[in-house]
Structures are given as structure tokens and as C-alpha cells.
Amino acid sequence: MIATISNIDTNIAFAELDQRISKIWEEILDSSELIQTIINGKFNKYLYAIYMLETYHYTSHNAANQALVGIKNYQNSIYTKFCFRHAYDETGHEKMALHDLLSIGLDESKFLIPEPLPETETLIAYLYWISFNGNPLRRLGYSYWAESSYEYINPLVDKIKNTLNLNANQMTFFIAHSDIDENHAEEVKSIILRTCINPDDWKNMATTAETSLRLTGCLLDGVYREYQLFIKGESERYGFLNESFCVS
Amino acid sequence: MIATISNIDTNIAFAELDQRISKIWEEILDSSELIQTIINGKFNKYLYAIYMLETYHYTSHNAANQALVGIKNYQNSIYTKFCFRHAYDETGHEKMALHDLLSIGLDESKFLIPEPLPETETLIAYLYWISFNGNPLRRLGYSYWAESSYEYINPLVDKIKNTLNLNANQMTFFIAHSDIDENHAEEVKSIILRTCINPDDWKNMATTAETSLRLTGCLLDGVYREYQLFIKGESERYGFLNESFCVS
Amino acid sequence: MIATISNIDTNIAFAELDQRISKIWEEILDSSELIQTIINGKFNKYLYAIYMLETYHYTSHNAANQALVGIKNYQNSIYTKFCFRHAYDETGHEKMALHDLLSIGLDESKFLIPEPLPETETLIAYLYWISFNGNPLRRLGYSYWAESSYEYINPLVDKIKNTLNLNANQMTFFIAHSDIDENHAEEVKSIILRTCINPDDWKNMATTAETSLRLTGCLLDGVYREYQLFIKGESERYGFLNESFCVS
Amino acid sequence: MIATISNIDTNIAFAELDQRISKIWEEILDSSELIQTIINGKFNKYLYAIYMLETYHYTSHNAANQALVGIKNYQNSIYTKFCFRHAYDETGHEKMALHDLLSIGLDESKFLIPEPLPETETLIAYLYWISFNGNPLRRLGYSYWAESSYEYINPLVDKIKNTLNLNANQMTFFIAHSDIDENHAEEVKSIILRTCINPDDWKNMATTAETSLRLTGCLLDGVYREYQLFIKGESERYGFLNESFCVS
């Protein structure tokens, strides 16, 4: 069955969007040194900690910027209700990232979470901006790739699990979260079908999908650069990791 | 059973708050010419229309300012989730006010909703302000009286129903809404117990309850003043009502 | 010479606006118990302190909400430049209110400025709201009456000066400020002529003038009510005044 | 003479900041294909138009985000006044970018300025974010490099001038602007000396300098990528340039 909204063949539109997203994921998977380190089995708890704390940062804003879209977009009740419902669902998810680090021995009493890296802050800034300015449907582009990223991420999560010898309870951010997000992915697709009713909506939404995914790729590069500083003993932000893991 | 949080006897605290709210309601009920008109049975569809369109205005912002509290207060997940959940529930409620007017013959094709009266805009401004500034628990004061106002409002609603000869389907804003809000009133009381844990929280919340109720009283006065202009043929905003009711 | 902009006779428009403002001033001057106290010569330093600290509060937001208009209105450079220039000029003026109180013996080391009264916060909330929402020319209505209020205020200032036996250096907020604002009044009139080019602009601007002046009248009433509590020993906010004036 | 504020040797601090900025400029100058095109004399009016319209976009937000810092930072009058003054000065500067394009034959009646490129929007988003969140002194880092960038830019401006055969009146954005900014550079240095009084202020400010300069480098890359699309006839945004230059 082919749904047709305002002359957009949405099956084709989704296929094109998937292809654009897929292309950027490939670029990231190919060029990211962080991801190469995971694949090569050279990943360690320090790099994991840096990655997860930066993830903590941007995740802690996701509910807020999602709700902001609802505030901005108060004319269309269906989309507004979607925004507030998802903001509700996303609230507190960053705590899973922190939980997972504590579960591998990071001692909460020994550090304050450092300021986000510039790349993390840039992603956060962009997500608030597109949530409050321009076409309010834009943020659906971020949700669209983020809620269905498990196809790309799961092999990496498995590899991390094996390399660091973790169990599923220690990876709640990725594993429990992915179960929650399975529903979300369907809901996002469904709300896109109901709201993105003209070509301009799709173009805006797709551009935001691409840009937010690229900025997430930049975040991975930022994490890896900081890790290089860390192993040289030059990371101002993450030097504390040397003294904050419990001896096991 | 007496719950005790941080040395606040919450039973006493709620009783005092109820008393302060009750006192302001009495002042409003006594002094408001709008309410006297309802009680005297001289209420008519024009005054009802002015009141309901102003109600439409501030109600259309309630979900947004409720969500704003969640954005501002992202540290406390329990309260943030409450805010986003209630924002979800409140979304679109203003449409009930509009529905009720259309059901008594107002012809949607014959007017644009006029700009809010100064008193209405002042209430809206205040609710956004307290939602984004100062103690984020303040907005609970507004929810507290608003969700449990049916004790004061229901006799007036009955009187309007009889005077204008309406059935329940024509008063969804007050009647369906009051069923929805019954749960809310309990939820608001429960979240206050969980979050207002020091005397300053209570003081802030109670002041906001009082102020937002007084500003709602001012709104009633503004509506009545505009109605006086209307019957003299001098209302710029609501003159359209003369030509916008279907002849029945 | 009669300037004519888009069929508005601006001389007539200003005269009408002046008349509406004048009418509200008269209502305030007639009904305000605070102002009666000044006229009767029963004004004292405690009432003055409450009034000036509430004035401190809203004045401390004037530069910010003025700048907000410039941010919101970035399309029209002339008006935007006016906004940023006036925001620059208004920055820090609240310190004059504080200075004047210290000059009559209030001891800065003995108190923290209390939270604003509900009426003060309502005025602040309204000014931010109209600065960021709706027609950005609206805030000119506030500037228009505020910058030219000295005609109404000066006799009261003289009376306060005599009653409290102050010299001009102790009344910088009113006296130095009024010299600064004389230019502003002209600039405001001139920018209104350049920007308020259609009847809707004038209507919006005039409504905001009236509403912000009325809310300022409410602030005076709030100050007087708090003073009544103070003399009964029941003011939570201002009880500190009993112990914070130096013995002279 | 060496100024010393809170144990920061500011001469050393500025020298280190200059070095960090200089390093990023070198990276940009070396790697940017846009800049290579200028140096190689292969620059043309189409690439210039794309660059200037993207510049138009972010420049049109500079006054607003500068004023936002003043609103956020209302405690410190000196810095707040600096912010509002500079916002005043920056208002409307984007029009110089547009003027310069019209002066080389772009016909204003033939196009609407397209939406900003993702890289441009990311820079805009970042500048608003750092203006409203975190240490309000951060935005000085952006001003610091931007107001003193002429050392790096002037040789490129000369090259563009020769390549496109322009006179100074056709390059107001770069030439008139650089005269205005000469004072600004001094003022920025001076306000940094007065406000950045602890190491954390400097760190925050310097990080923002680096990040905003890197994001500007990304903007150059985005412009060049779009130009490549343009010459292949695939630029959705800038296809209009083919029909919008007057034949000369």
C-alpha cells in the first residue's frame, strides 16, 4: 500500500531519507577513529567513560528540547501532544548513561561531571535552535534517525559488551533504551506521516536529520580527540578518570 | 494520619492554603458583577461568549506554560515528568470553550477571535513568568486552585445551564473538563506533597495560588466591563457578536 | 504643522493618547491611599523604603525587557537601534533607587532585598510578555507614559522631599532620572512617529500604555497594603525595616 | 607594564589566546578549498554571492545574540552596557553584505534569500546558545577573534577585489566594517581585562573563541560544497544565481 499525502509518495520519501541517513552513517562508521577502536577491540573503560559522559550531556537536554517544540507549535494539537508525550518519555534517560558508568566501577563521589566538549555543546545548541526556530516539524528529523539507529549501533554495542566484559544490566542506556525506542521509531514514522504534509516539511525534516547526525559524528570525533589527550596526560576535563575508578 | 515533610505539617499547610484560596474566592464571588449577573439570572449568550472567548485565550496557553516548567526544572525528574504529562493532558482544552460557543449558534465563519483583553493578557503573562522564573514549584499553586475550583464554579455552571437552557453537551468546557480535572486535583496534591519540601516552597506556591486567582478575578471584571461596552454598542473587540449568532 | 502618517493625524492621535493616560493618572491619584498619604504629609521613611525597593525590582528589568524588543524586532533597524540604545541608557538605573534609600540611613549590611510583591511581579511579567509577543511596537506605550510621567509625579516628589526633609542628592532616582528622561520623552515621541504607521500599531501601543500604567497603579496599592501589614507588625517581607535604619 | 588580575598575567593570557586562534586560522587557511580558490585567482561572482549570502545570515543575528548576553547578565552593569552598546553598533551590518552583492549586479527583484546552509545555522545556533547559557563572558571569545580577524582576512579581501575587479565602495562589508571594528577590537580587549577576572572566565572565553572560529571554518566548507553543487547545476538553494545577475 502506498500512502499519498499532498502528492508526496511517502514510501519513496522515506526510502530516500533512509538512504541519505545510511550514507552519513557509513561516512561516520568509516572515518571515526572512535568506532575503529571499538571494532579493533582496543576500546577501554576510559574511552567508554568519556563517550558516556558526553552522551549524558546531550541526552539530558532531549526531553527539554522536545517539549520546546510542543510549546512553539501550539496550533497543531496532534503534534503538540506527540511532543509532550515524548518529552515525558525521554525525561531522565541520561541517568541510564550515568548508571552504566557507575556499574563498571566509576566512583560518583570522586568527580563532578565536566563541562561538555565543544562538539557536544554544538549538538545541544543546534537541537534547541531547530526546536524553537523555523518549521517545528524539523525536530522529527532528529527523532527519526535517533530512534532507529540501533541497526547501526547494535553491532558496536555487542563489541563493547564483549571487550569490556559487561552484562546487559551494565548497558541499560543502549539495551533497555533500545527496547523503549522500538515503539518510538514507529510513533515517529506515524507522526511524520500525519504532519509532514508538504514537500517543504519533508525537506526541512530531512535536512535536520542529516545535520544532527553529522553533528553527532563530530561528537564522536571530539570524544576521541579528548581521549588522545587523556592518554597523553593532557586532558583537563577527564584527567579525573585516572583516580575515579574503583580498583576491582 | 498526618504526613510530615521537613517539619511542615502538610495537613495544616493544606488547610491554611485552602482557607486563603477560599477567602479570595469569596471576595470574587461577592464583588464580581459578572457573577452577580449569573446569580440574578440575567446572564445571556453575549456575556457568555465574551467570557468563553477570553477563557479560550488563557486556556490555550496552559499546556505551554506547564511544559515550560518542565524545561526549566530539568533536574528533578519526578516533577519534570508531572509537568510534561499535565502539559500533554491540557493540550487542546481551549477547543472545548470554542466548541461550546459554536453549539449555541455562534457562527465560526463570521468572526476572527479578537485579541485578548488586557486582563486576560496580564494573566497569561504572569503564568509564563512564574513558569520560567524563580522557584519552579510555584506553578503548582495555580494548578492547585484551578483543578479544584469546581466547588465554587459548579453552582454557577448550573445557573448558566438553566438560564441559557443548555444541555451538558453544550458545556463540555465546564462539565467534561471537571471530570478530567478530578484526577488532576488529586495528582496536584500528591506532587505537592512530594516536591514542596521546605517552607519556602510552600510560601512561593501559596503566593502564586493567590496571585493567579486574583488575576482571574480581574479577568472576570474585564469581561464584564467589555460587556458593558458591548451593550452600549462601543465594544471594538466584540461588536461582531451582534451579527455572528445564527438566528434560531 | 500636522504630520500625517498613513492617514493617521498624529497630532490628534497623541492628544487622544495623552487624554487616556491622563484619565488613568487621575484615577490613580484619586484612589491610591499611598498617594493620599504623601499628600497628607503622613509619608514616612518606612513607606518610602517599601515603595523604593519595589521600584528597584521592576526598574532592574527595564533595560532587559527593552533589549528584548530589539531582539524580537530585528527586521526594522531604526526601531531595533532605538531599543538597544535605550536598553543601554536604562542599564543600572535601579541602583539609584537603592542609593537613595542608603542615603537616608538604610544599612545595606542588615538586609537582603525581599522578593517582589505580587503586584510588582505582575508588572514585570507583563512588560516581558509584551516585549516578546505580539506587535513589538507595543512597548513604546510603556515608554511613552513612563518617560513623561514627571508632570504627575513631580508635585509628589516635592512633597516627599519636604516631608522627609531630603535634599536633591538623596532623590537621584526621581530628580537626576527626570533630567535624563526629558530627552527620552522626545526620543520616544519621535520613534513613535517613525514606526507606528498604521492604526493597529497605535491601538496596540495605546492599550499597552494604559495597561502598564494601571498595573503600576496596582503596584502602589500593593505597596500600601504591605505597609499596613508592616505597621501592624505582620509584614514578612519588610519586617527587617524596623532594625535596618541607622539611628540618626 | 604587566596587568595582573586575580593572579592571571593577562599579557601571557592574551598571547596564549592569540596563539590558539592563530593556529586555527592556519588550519582553516590551509585546508579550506574556498580560500584556495581565492588565492588561486579562480574566485568568481557566484562563489562570492553564496559566501556573502551565508555571511548575511549569521551577521543578521549578531546584534540579537549580543543583546541577549546583556539580558542574561543583568547583574554586572559594565558588561551589560558593553553588550547593549555593541548590539546597537552591530544592528543592520548584514545589510552591507547585501549591498555589496547588489553593487556587482545581483538583481534584488529576482530572488528571495534562501534558507541558511546547515553549517551557517549551526554557527547561529551555537552563538545564541553560548549567549544565553553558561558563563555570559563566553561570547567575548567570539568578539575577540571576529573583531581582529582583519589580519587574516585582508590579504584575501585584496585578492577578491582584484579578481572580481571591485572598488572599495563595492566591498563595504569588509572595508568599511574593518574601520568600525578597529575600535571594537580595542574595546573588546579592554572589557575582557575588566570582566574576565578568574581563570575559569578565561578558559570559557577562550574555548568559545576556538569553537566559534572552527564553526566559521565549517561555514566556509559548506559554502564551497554548495558552490560545487551549483556548478554541477544541482544546488537547490542557489540555482537562482544563474538568472539573477544583470548582464553587464
Side-chain angles (χ1 to χ4, degrees):
Chain A
M1 195 206 74
I2 293 172
T4 310
I5 299 171
S6 301
N7 299 327
I8 302 170
D9 180 325
T10 53
N11 275 9
I12 293 177
F14 273 123
E16 280 175 0
L17 178 56
D18 288 342
Q19 209 172 6
R20 287 164 71 174
I21 289 169
S22 176
K23 192 162 161 289
I24 298 170
W25 267 112
E26 274 166 41
E27 287 168 26
I28 292 172
L29 295 172
D30 285 356
S31 72
S32 160
E33 290 179 287
L34 172 58
I35 284 168
Q36 294 312 312
T37 307
I38 295 171
I39 292 171
N40 297 339
K42 296 190 175 158
F43 201 69
N44 63 27
K45 66 185 178 183
Y46 301 108
L47 181 46
Y48 186 54
I50 298 172
Y51 171 68
M52 288 300 266
L53 287 174
E54 296 301 320
T55 298
Y56 172 89
H57 274 304
Y58 79 82
T59 305
S60 73
H61 292 280
N62 277 351
N65 57 48
Q66 175 66 92
L68 200 56
V69 185
I71 289 173
K72 183 68 182 179
N73 176 66
Y74 59 90
Q75 290 98 341
N76 175 341
S77 288
I78 291 167
Y79 184 43
T80 297
K81 283 180 98 72
F82 169 88
C83 293
F84 291 149
R85 175 60 192 268
H86 276 239
Y88 174 87
D89 288 346
E90 299 287 342
T91 301
H93 275 193
E94 71 280 7
K95 289 179 185 163
M96 288 196 256
L98 201 56
H99 162 275
D100 291 353
L101 286 180
L102 304 185
S103 84
I104 62 165
L106 197 62
D107 182 345
E108 210 173 359
S109 70
K110 294 205 173 134
F111 69 100
L112 292 172
I113 298 174
E115 295 289 294
L117 289 168
E119 289 83 355
T120 309
E121 201 167 15
T122 302
L123 174 61
I124 293 166
Y126 178 76
L127 291 174
Y128 276 106
W129 178 259
I130 58 98
S131 296
F132 201 64
N133 298 279
N135 189 328
L137 298 166
R138 296 206 286 177
R139 196 184 176 286
L140 288 169
Y142 172 54
S143 296
Y144 184 75
W145 75 256
E147 306 276 18
S148 58
S149 58
Y150 298 98
E151 149 189 12
Y152 303 99
I153 283 177
N154 280 349
L156 299 167
V157 170
D158 282 346
K159 189 75 194 178
I160 292 172
K161 192 160 172 281
N162 292 333
T163 304
L164 299 185
N165 199 21
L166 305 175
N167 59 51
N169 293 338
Q170 293 174 303
M171 299 193 83
T172 58
F173 185 80
F174 288 112
I175 296 174
H177 209 165
S178 92
D179 296 342
I180 298 166
D181 283 358
E182 206 164 321
N183 268 332
H184 279 192
E186 276 314 299
E187 285 167 27
V188 169
K189 209 162 168 175
S190 158
I191 195 80
I192 288 174
L193 284 169
R194 294 184 74 175
T195 59
C196 290
I197 54 175
N198 64 52
D200 196 58
D201 294 335
W202 274 87
K203 202 166 65 181
N204 269 291
M205 188 261 290
T207 300
T208 303
E210 289 189 316
T211 306
S212 55
L213 180 50
R214 279 190 212 283
L215 291 175
T216 303
C218 293
L219 181 152
L220 300 182
D221 293 342
V223 165
Y224 194 76
R225 190 197 60 236
E226 193 69 21
Y227 174 66
Q228 295 300 107
L229 290 177
F230 173 77
I231 56 185
K232 285 189 276 179
E234 293 170 6
S235 168
E236 267 191 73
R237 278 183 171 84
Y238 283 101
F240 74 84
L241 290 175
N242 282 310
E243 293 93 42
S244 302
F245 275 105
C246 305
V247 183
S248 54
Chain B
M1 195 207 73
I2 294 173
T4 310
I5 299 172
S6 302
N7 299 325
I8 303 169
D9 181 324
T10 53
N11 274 9
I12 294 177
F14 274 123
E16 281 175 1
L17 179 56
D18 288 342
Q19 210 173 7
R20 288 164 70 175
I21 289 170
S22 177
K23 191 162 160 291
I24 298 170
W25 268 112
E26 273 165 43
E27 287 169 27
I28 292 172
L29 295 172
D30 284 357
S31 71
S32 161
E33 291 179 286
L34 171 58
I35 284 168
Q36 295 312 311
T37 308
I38 295 171
I39 292 171
N40 297 338
K42 297 189 175 158
F43 201 69
N44 64 25
K45 66 183 177 183
Y46 301 109
L47 180 46
Y48 187 53
I50 298 173
Y51 171 67
M52 287 301 264
L53 288 174
E54 296 302 319
T55 297
Y56 172 87
H57 275 304
Y58 78 82
T59 305
S60 74
H61 292 280
N62 277 350
N65 57 47
Q66 176 65 92
L68 200 57
V69 186
I71 289 174
K72 183 68 182 180
N73 176 65
Y74 58 91
Q75 287 100 342
N76 176 340
S77 290
I78 290 167
Y79 184 43
T80 298
K81 283 180 98 71
F82 169 89
C83 293
F84 291 149
R85 176 59 192 269
H86 277 239
Y88 174 87
D89 288 346
E90 299 288 342
T91 300
H93 275 193
E94 71 279 8
K95 289 179 185 163
M96 287 196 257
L98 201 56
H99 161 275
D100 291 352
L101 287 180
L102 304 185
S103 84
I104 62 165
L106 196 62
D107 182 345
E108 209 174 2
S109 70
K110 293 206 175 132
F111 68 101
L112 292 172
I113 298 174
E115 294 289 294
L117 289 169
E119 289 84 354
T120 309
E121 200 166 17
T122 301
L123 174 61
I124 292 167
Y126 177 75
L127 291 175
Y128 276 106
W129 177 260
I130 59 96
S131 296
F132 201 63
N133 297 280
N135 189 329
L137 299 166
R138 297 205 283 178
R139 196 183 177 286
L140 287 169
Y142 172 54
S143 297
Y144 184 74
W145 75 257
E147 306 277 19
S148 57
S149 57
Y150 298 98
E151 151 189 10
Y152 303 98
I153 285 177
N154 281 349
L156 300 167
V157 171
D158 282 346
K159 190 74 194 174
I160 293 173
K161 193 161 170 282
N162 292 333
T163 306
L164 299 185
N165 199 19
L166 305 175
N167 60 49
N169 292 339
Q170 293 175 304
M171 298 193 84
T172 59
F173 185 79
F174 288 112
I175 295 174
H177 209 165
S178 93
D179 297 341
I180 297 165
D181 283 357
E182 205 164 323
N183 267 332
H184 279 193
E186 276 314 300
E187 285 167 27
V188 169
K189 209 162 168 174
S190 159
I191 194 79
I192 288 174
L193 284 168
R194 294 183 75 175
T195 59
C196 291
I197 54 176
N198 63 53
D200 196 58
D201 294 334
W202 273 88
K203 203 167 62 181
N204 269 289
M205 188 261 290
T207 301
T208 303
E210 290 189 315
T211 307
S212 55
L213 180 50
R214 279 191 211 283
L215 292 174
T216 303
C218 293
L219 182 152
L220 299 182
D221 293 342
V223 165
Y224 194 76
R225 190 197 59 236
E226 193 70 22
Y227 173 66
Q228 295 300 108
L229 291 176
F230 172 78
I231 57 185
K232 285 189 276 179
E234 294 170 6
S235 168
E236 267 192 71
R237 278 182 171 85
Y238 284 102
F240 73 85
L241 290 175
N242 281 311
E243 293 94 41
S244 303
F245 275 105
C246 306
V247 183
S248 52
Chain C
M1 194 207 74
I2 292 173
T4 309
I5 299 171
S6 302
N7 299 327
I8 303 169
D9 181 325
T10 54
N11 274 9
I12 293 177
F14 273 123
E16 281 175 1
L17 179 56
D18 288 342
Q19 209 172 7
R20 288 164 70 175
I21 290 170
S22 178
K23 191 162 161 290
I24 298 171
W25 268 112
E26 274 165 42
E27 286 168 27
I28 292 173
L29 295 172
D30 284 357
S31 71
S32 161
E33 291 179 286
L34 172 58
I35 284 168
Q36 294 313 311
T37 308
I38 294 170
I39 293 170
N40 297 338
K42 297 190 176 158
F43 201 68
N44 64 25
K45 67 183 177 184
Y46 301 107
L47 181 46
Y48 187 53
I50 297 172
Y51 172 68
M52 287 300 265
L53 287 174
E54 296 302 319
T55 298
Y56 172 89
H57 275 303
Y58 78 82
T59 306
S60 73
H61 293 280
N62 276 351
N65 57 48
Q66 175 67 93
L68 200 56
V69 186
I71 289 174
K72 183 69 182 178
N73 176 63
Y74 58 91
Q75 287 100 341
N76 174 341
S77 288
I78 291 167
Y79 183 43
T80 297
K81 283 179 99 71
F82 169 88
C83 293
F84 291 148
R85 176 58 192 270
H86 277 239
Y88 173 87
D89 288 347
E90 299 289 342
T91 301
H93 275 193
E94 71 279 8
K95 289 180 185 163
M96 287 197 256
L98 201 56
H99 162 275
D100 291 353
L101 287 181
L102 304 185
S103 85
I104 62 164
L106 197 62
D107 182 344
E108 208 174 2
S109 70
K110 293 207 176 134
F111 69 100
L112 292 172
I113 297 174
E115 295 289 295
L117 289 169
E119 288 84 354
T120 310
E121 200 166 17
T122 301
L123 174 62
I124 293 167
Y126 177 76
L127 292 174
Y128 276 105
W129 177 260
I130 58 97
S131 296
F132 201 63
N133 298 280
N135 189 328
L137 298 166
R138 298 205 283 177
R139 196 183 176 287
L140 287 169
Y142 172 54
S143 296
Y144 184 74
W145 74 256
E147 306 276 19
S148 58
S149 57
Y150 298 98
E151 149 188 13
Y152 302 99
I153 284 177
N154 281 349
L156 300 167
V157 170
D158 282 345
K159 189 74 194 177
I160 293 173
K161 192 160 171 283
N162 292 333
T163 305
L164 300 185
N165 199 21
L166 305 175
N167 60 50
N169 293 337
Q170 293 174 303
M171 298 194 84
T172 59
F173 185 80
F174 289 112
I175 297 175
H177 209 163
S178 94
D179 296 342
I180 297 166
D181 283 357
E182 206 164 321
N183 268 332
H184 279 193
E186 275 314 300
E187 285 167 27
V188 169
K189 209 162 167 174
S190 158
I191 194 79
I192 288 174
L193 283 168
R194 294 184 73 175
T195 59
C196 291
I197 54 175
N198 64 53
D200 196 57
D201 294 335
W202 273 88
K203 202 167 62 181
N204 269 290
M205 188 261 291
T207 300
T208 303
E210 290 189 314
T211 306
S212 55
L213 180 50
R214 279 191 212 282
L215 292 174
T216 303
C218 293
L219 182 152
L220 299 182
D221 293 341
V223 165
Y224 194 75
R225 189 198 58 235
E226 193 70 21
Y227 173 66
Q228 295 299 107
L229 290 176
F230 173 78
I231 57 184
K232 285 190 275 179
E234 293 171 6
S235 168
E236 267 191 72
R237 280 182 170 84
Y238 284 101
F240 74 86
L241 290 175
N242 282 310
E243 292 93 41
S244 303
F245 276 105
C246 305
V247 184
S248 54
Chain D
M1 196 207 72
I2 294 173
T4 309
I5 299 172
S6 302
N7 298 326
I8 302 170
D9 181 325
T10 53
N11 274 9
I12 294 178
F14 273 123
E16 280 175 1
L17 179 56
D18 288 342
Q19 210 173 5
R20 288 165 70 174
I21 289 169
S22 177
K23 192 162 160 290
I24 298 170
W25 268 112
E26 274 166 41
E27 287 168 26
I28 292 172
L29 296 172
D30 285 356
S31 71
S32 161
E33 290 179 287
L34 171 58
I35 284 169
Q36 294 313 312
T37 308
I38 296 171
I39 293 171
N40 296 339
K42 297 188 174 158
F43 201 69
N44 64 26
K45 67 183 177 183
Y46 300 108
L47 181 46
Y48 186 54
I50 298 173
Y51 172 68
M52 287 301 265
L53 287 174
E54 296 302 320
T55 297
Y56 172 89
H57 274 304
Y58 78 81
T59 305
S60 74
H61 292 279
N62 276 350
N65 57 48
Q66 175 67 92
L68 200 55
V69 186
I71 289 174
K72 183 69 183 179
N73 176 66
Y74 59 89
Q75 289 98 342
N76 175 340
S77 289
I78 291 167
Y79 184 43
T80 297
K81 282 180 99 71
F82 169 89
C83 293
F84 292 149
R85 176 59 193 269
H86 277 239
Y88 173 87
D89 288 346
E90 299 288 342
T91 301
H93 275 194
E94 71 279 7
K95 290 181 184 161
M96 288 196 256
L98 202 56
H99 161 274
D100 291 352
L101 287 180
L102 303 184
S103 85
I104 63 164
L106 196 62
D107 182 345
E108 210 173 359
S109 70
K110 293 207 176 134
F111 70 100
L112 293 172
I113 298 174
E115 294 290 295
L117 289 169
E119 289 84 355
T120 309
E121 200 167 17
T122 302
L123 174 61
I124 292 166
Y126 178 75
L127 291 174
Y128 276 105
W129 177 259
I130 58 99
S131 296
F132 201 63
N133 297 280
N135 189 328
L137 298 166
R138 297 206 286 178
R139 195 184 177 287
L140 287 169
Y142 172 55
S143 296
Y144 184 75
W145 75 256
E147 306 276 19
S148 59
S149 57
Y150 298 98
E151 150 189 12
Y152 303 98
I153 284 177
N154 280 348
L156 299 167
V157 170
D158 282 346
K159 189 74 194 179
I160 293 172
K161 192 160 173 281
N162 292 333
T163 305
L164 299 185
N165 200 19
L166 306 174
N167 59 49
N169 293 339
Q170 293 174 302
M171 298 194 85
T172 58
F173 185 79
F174 288 112
I175 295 174
H177 208 165
S178 93
D179 296 342
I180 298 165
D181 283 356
E182 207 164 322
N183 268 333
H184 278 192
E186 276 314 300
E187 285 167 27
V188 169
K189 209 162 168 175
S190 159
I191 194 78
I192 288 174
L193 283 169
R194 294 183 74 175
T195 59
C196 291
I197 55 175
N198 64 52
D200 196 58
D201 294 335
W202 274 88
K203 204 166 63 180
N204 269 290
M205 189 261 290
T207 299
T208 303
E210 290 189 316
T211 306
S212 55
L213 180 49
R214 279 190 213 283
L215 291 174
T216 304
C218 293
L219 182 152
L220 300 182
D221 293 341
V223 165
Y224 193 76
R225 190 199 57 237
E226 193 70 21
Y227 174 65
Q228 294 301 108
L229 290 177
F230 172 78
I231 57 184
K232 284 190 277 181
E234 294 170 5
S235 169
E236 266 191 74
R237 278 182 171 83
Y238 284 101
F240 74 84
L241 290 175
N242 282 311
E243 293 92 43
S244 303
F245 275 106
C246 306
V247 184
S248 57

